[in-house]
Amino acid sequence: MDTLQVVATSQLESRCEDIPSGRKKLNLNAIPSQGTFLSIIDLDLTVDCNLRCRYCFKEKWSEHMEEQVAFDAIVWLLYASGPVEQLYVNFMGGEPMLRFPLIKRLVPFAKRRAWRVGKTIHFGITTNCTLVTDEVVDFWKQWGMGFHTSIDGTPEIQDHNRPTADRQGSSRLVEHAVPKILACRPMTMARSTVVPEGAGSLVDNYKYFRSLGYKNIGFATAGHDLWSEEAVATFEAEWSKLGDIVIDEYRAGRQVYLSGIDVVVEAIIRNERYQHLCGAGRGTVLIDIHGDIWPCHRWSKKAEGAWRIGNIYRQFDDAVRSQLDVPSQAKLVEEDCETCVAALVCSGGCPAENLEETGCPFKRHETACKLTRIITRVGQRVHDVLYGEGNELFMKQYYNRQEQAA
């Protein structure tokens, strides 16, 4: 245990009054003994949800994380992070806003505990927006929380894809919440899941998001084994139109962030392949409602426990984690990526998604590759047009930022 951890141990153990008492006993040795220090945890506060999204990958039942597990997970992170001083906790679910009373206690507790050991914890939340109130936004603002909003598109699309538990539409609830959210955090992302039958609605959904005030928009494809060639072709036509729209936005002096294109432009400027798509199983882990540790929130229990990294009350399995905590996940990808147009952008896709769709975390579904190539080609065109024109806003956003970072 290094000096920082010794200090953390002394200070943490001296103040236990605000952790709910219970029968579980946190194992402070259930932390990594090798590899990357952890800096991020996804925290499943519940597996319950008030929506019944048609494509959801998370199993649902009416069970919450016990309060003791939530508080213990924070303490566990302070130990598992070793010398890392900037830590991040993402509230997940289910719908984490079902646990707002717990969040109101947990965030101040975590901030105090981190401060006592010379660290800072930042909080974020992924929410379906249906439970957002003025009180919620005021709390987020007070504690500097960030968030993603899961919203699929126009009211017709939203109500079809993301009905409530009693099969009512959720769009009216979302529309009521979005202005409150954007007033607090203007760059909050509208994160939309695209299934095959929605491939032809990308432009309409983008325009709808812009009408609500979003400047940061992300479309994520799902269910790749269900995509037909026709759906892929439709996606390509829509994504090409989105490229044209982004070009027009910049020409008009309106800054927008469309995640796929944004990533491509940054990769072109960086001119170096990403070795990891994300930090899952490396700097990031999920702690589920029982205290079990998984690579990230996308990991499904369909994996039959083979990817469970341990439990905060028992042990940490370095051997399981080492399968993902490697110098380069890109080098483990089974596809021949070197000559692919998306080589700079794609490091092999989402490991959890790959595992579900192909049975291997380092093997992508053929359709996922096709869609990534489409996104890349359009992103390349957007870059070349705006760079060629010397668009002032574009250059300031991407090239000036890169020069400052260097």
Side-chain angles (χ1 to χ4, degrees):
M1 184 175 289
D2 62 27
T3 302
L4 181 60
Q5 287 176 299
V6 171
V7 172
T9 300
S10 174
Q11 295 190 16
L12 286 172
E13 291 178 347
S14 68
R15 294 295 297 271
C16 301
E17 71 281 358
D18 42 9
I19 301 179
S21 60
R23 291 175 295 176
K24 296 182 176 69
K25 182 174 177 58
L26 182 63
N27 181 4
L28 297 179
N29 292 316
I31 61 176
S33 62
Q34 60 189 41
T36 307
F37 285 108
L38 297 177
S39 59
I40 303 172
I41 58 171
D42 294 336
L43 200 59
D44 267 353
L45 296 181
T46 181
V47 290
D48 198 4
C49 187
N50 61 332
L51 297 188
R52 294 295 182 267
C53 302
R54 298 178 182 276
Y55 48 74
C56 187
F57 58 85
K58 295 295 282 277
E59 299 171 75
K60 298 285 190 302
W61 63 93
S62 297
E63 186 176 359
H64 296 325
M65 174 181 281
E66 293 179 11
E67 288 196 1
Q68 183 192 347
V69 178
F71 283 85
D72 284 347
I74 298 297
V75 177
W76 179 86
L77 176 61
L78 295 176
Y79 284 88
S81 56
V84 180
E85 296 181 359
Q86 298 297 318
L87 307 178
Y88 300 83
V89 176
N90 302 313
F91 293 134
M92 310 295 296
E95 170 49 46
M97 284 309 305
L98 291 171
R99 306 300 311 281
F100 184 53
L102 171 59
I103 291 172
K104 288 194 293 183
R105 295 177 57 212
L106 191 60
V107 171
F109 163 81
K111 293 280 189 178
R112 291 194 302 269
R113 279 301 175 93
W115 176 77
R116 289 172 188 157
V117 295
K119 300 191 179 194
T120 301
I121 292 185
H122 308 272
F123 283 90
I125 188 169
T126 296
T127 177
N128 61 32
C129 303
T130 60
L131 301 175
V132 175
T133 63
D134 290 335
E135 180 190 4
V136 168
V137 173
D138 288 343
F139 180 84
W140 286 347
K141 189 182 301 183
Q142 177 185 359
W143 294 98
M145 290 180 62
F147 32 89
H148 279 329
T149 53
S150 294
I151 172 175
D152 275 4
T154 64
E156 181 182 11
I157 296 291
Q158 174 76 13
D159 290 343
H160 176 75
N161 284 355
R162 301 174 67 82
T164 62
D166 58 357
R167 299 301 170 183
Q168 301 298 310
S170 61
S171 62
R172 58 183 176 79
L173 299 172
V174 172
E175 286 187 345
H176 181 71
V178 166
K180 302 177 190 292
I181 295 171
L182 294 181
C184 175
R185 286 270 181 139
M187 291 311 298
T188 295
M189 174 181 279
R191 198 271 189 195
S192 171
T193 298
V194 183
V195 291
E197 57 266 32
S201 303
L202 296 185
V203 171
D204 287 344
N205 291 338
Y206 175 90
K207 291 179 179 178
Y208 175 69
F209 295 147
R210 293 290 281 142
S211 74
L212 292 179
Y214 282 106
K215 299 178 182 178
N216 190 2
I217 299 167
F219 292 105
T221 58
H224 296 126
D225 54 335
L226 302 176
W227 286 67
S228 65
E229 289 298 324
E230 181 181 2
V232 171
T234 300
F235 178 90
E236 182 169 20
E238 288 284 296
W239 196 261
S240 181
K241 292 176 185 176
L242 284 180
D244 294 336
I245 290 173
V246 170
I247 290 171
D248 289 341
E249 296 261 36
Y250 272 91
R251 284 172 174 170
R254 297 188 296 266
Q255 190 173 40
V256 296
Y257 300 82
L258 182 57
S259 65
I261 290 176
D262 189 57
V263 169
V264 172
V265 172
E266 290 187 347
I268 292 169
I269 297 171
R270 187 170 181 261
N271 196 32
E272 182 180 352
R273 188 179 185 189
Y274 293 103
Q275 298 305 303
H276 307 88
L277 178 67
C278 64
R282 298 170 52 249
T284 301
V285 294
L286 163 76
I287 298 179
D288 72 12
I289 61 171
H290 302 297
D292 283 338
I293 306 167
W294 302 82
C296 78
H297 75 281
R298 280 290 278 113
W299 237 259
S300 169
K301 291 191 176 181
K302 294 176 183 177
E304 299 298 336
W307 290 89
R308 185 185 289 110
I309 301 175
N311 183 284
I312 64 174
Y313 297 105
R314 294 191 291 275
Q315 86 293 330
F316 189 93
D317 194 328
D318 287 299
V320 172
R321 180 181 179 233
S322 67
Q323 298 174 82
L324 294 170
D325 190 18
V326 294
S328 171
Q329 291 180 349
K331 292 181 179 179
L332 299 178
V333 176
E334 295 186 11
E335 287 79 10
D336 181 11
C337 301
E338 296 302 321
T339 59
C340 178
V341 68
L344 289 179
V345 178
C346 172
S347 59
C350 168
E353 188 175 79
N354 293 345
L355 185 64
E356 290 178 5
E357 295 180 344
T358 70
C360 173
F362 304 115
K363 181 176 178 59
R364 296 200 79 188
H365 193 280
E366 180 182 5
T367 299
C369 289
K370 290 179 180 178
L371 297 174
T372 301
R373 286 193 285 269
I374 290 169
I375 292 170
T376 301
R377 285 192 291 266
V378 173
Q380 179 78 59
R381 176 166 61 83
V382 171
H383 169 272
D384 292 350
V385 169
L386 294 175
Y387 181 83
E389 294 176 355
N391 182 275
E392 183 177 354
L393 184 59
F394 177 81
M395 297 301 289
K396 179 181 179 180
Q397 165 58 28
Y398 292 103
Y399 280 87
N400 291 1
R401 186 174 67 189
Q402 294 292 329
E403 291 172 3
Q404 292 171 3

